[in-house]
Amino acid sequence: ELEDFLEVAGARIDYVKITTTQVMGHPEEWLKRKIALYKQHAIQPYLDHGYFVRAYKRGVVDQAIEAGAALGFSVMEFMNTFGDVPESQLKEWRKRAIDCGMNLIYEHHPESGWRSTKKVLPASSKKIIDAAEPFVEHGAITVLIDHEEIELQSDAAKDVLSEVMSYFGNGVVA
């Protein structure tokens, strides 16, 4: 079924997000076959930010990066950590992913995407840029803005996202 779909639509797809539940809840050989099938159609499968969050909460980010690479993932998505993880540690994890042959994606989330919080506020363009910049400088292939962040922006979304896109370039921000 997936192979039929990719034969028809694969040429128009660059990346596919594989969710954490798929990675954690399916047999390794099934995942490897699925990843290989995407790659046969020049589609880069990537680990979503939930994989990073789950690994962080369990204290196994290094092992999770290596496991993702061993499964055949070519991209790993990281997210903002609101100062909970020092930049030096994030840099080490980015380096490990790159050393394991993976590209990087940075996705900006509201604070509620990282931890429980009573008041969820939209981020300024400066906060988004400041959080994303170390990832872009380290070679991130794209900066994603999570839909919840866009919804929080409300009427300011156009201006905030335009500033972020202007800073990084339209080809980097999605």
Side-chain angles (χ1 to χ4, degrees), residues 1-11 13 37-38 41 43:
E1 199 171 287
L2 177 60
E3 189 165 9
D4 288 343
F5 171 76
L6 294 177
E7 284 180 23
V8 173
I13 302 170
L37 184 58
Y38 282 122
H41 291 273
I43 299 168

Side-chain angles (χ1 to χ4, degrees), residues 87 94 98 104 129 132-140 143 167-168:
E87 174 52 34
R94 291 191 301 263
I98 291 167
L104 309 174
I129 290 166
E133 193 162 39
F135 290 85
V136 174
E137 287 176 352
H138 214 145
V143 172
Y167 187 85
F168 289 116

Side-chain angles (χ1 to χ4, degrees), residues 46-169:
Y46 71 94
L47 291 160
D48 76 335
H49 69 278
Y51 184 81
F52 166 68
V53 172
R54 185 177 180 135
Y56 173 77
K57 287 180 178 178
R58 293 178 175 201
V60 294
V61 175
D62 290 308
Q63 297 92 321
I65 291 168
E66 291 170 5
L71 286 169
F73 282 96
S74 52
V75 183
M76 183 160 175
E77 181 182 286
F78 290 88
M79 68 174 290
N80 44 321
T81 63
F82 298 90
D84 290 350
V85 179
E87 174 52 34
S88 60
Q89 180 60 68
L90 289 169
K91 184 175 183 178
E92 287 299 314
W93 288 333
R94 291 191 301 263
K95 184 179 179 324
R96 181 172 302 268
I98 291 167
D99 289 348
C100 287
M102 289 194 268
N103 288 314
L104 309 174
I105 289 177
Y106 170 79
E107 184 169 23
H108 191 86
H109 286 261
E111 188 173 359
S112 59
W114 177 249
R115 62 174 162 230
S116 295
T117 183
K118 290 182 181 178
K119 189 169 186 176
V120 182
L121 300 171
S124 66
S125 57
K126 180 177 179 1
K127 283 192 177 199
I128 295 171
I129 290 166
D130 288 349
E133 193 162 39
F135 290 85
V136 174
E137 287 176 352
H138 214 145
I141 56 176
T142 194
V143 172
L144 303 175
I145 310 295
D146 183 69
H147 68 93
E148 290 178 8
E149 179 65 47
I150 294 169
E151 291 164 8
L152 283 171
Q153 294 292 336
S154 188
D155 293 338
K158 182 178 178 185
D159 292 335
V160 169
L161 298 178
S162 291
E163 289 174 24
V164 174
M165 291 174 86
S166 177
Y167 187 85
F168 289 116

